[in-house]
Amino acid sequence: MKNLAELKKNQNAKILSINGDSRFISRITSIGLTPGCEVTVIKNEKRRPLLVFARDTMIALNSKECKNIEVE
């Protein structure tokens, strides 16, 4: 199983699970990233936020936090 931070530019994935404390899970799910959601990586560069496209929205995520989001 991979995490969101491991994906490369233009890769598609489906979110399987979100791990972390309740504050993190609440924040991530409130922006629309939930298990079953399809995401496309727009940009993934070292030491930069990860840019994804999901639910007709561009979302910038901290790359360290993306390690808590498991995808397939």
Side-chain angles (χ1 to χ4, degrees):
M1 213 176 302
K2 288 185 173 184
N3 63 52
L4 191 55
E6 295 174 17
L7 299 180
K8 295 182 179 10
K9 182 178 179 178
N10 296 322
Q11 278 191 301
N12 298 319
K14 184 180 356 178
I15 295 176
L16 294 178
S17 66
I18 301 168
N19 305 308
D21 62 18
S22 60
R23 183 173 164 256
F24 172 72
I25 293 171
S26 175
R27 187 169 58 83
I28 293 300
T29 57
S30 71
I31 60 174
L33 297 180
T34 57
C37 177
E38 297 281 338
V39 297
T40 302
V41 176
I42 303 301
K43 188 182 268 190
N44 187 1
E45 298 174 359
K46 290 182 181 179
R47 300 181 188 190
R48 297 294 215 168
L50 185 78
L51 188 61
V52 297
F53 183 78
R55 300 188 190 270
D56 296 326
T57 306
M58 296 285 266
I59 302 167
L61 299 166
N62 181 321
S63 58
K64 289 180 183 177
E65 292 177 337
C66 290
K67 293 178 181 177
N68 293 328
I69 302 173
E70 294 179 350
V71 297
E72 68 173 353

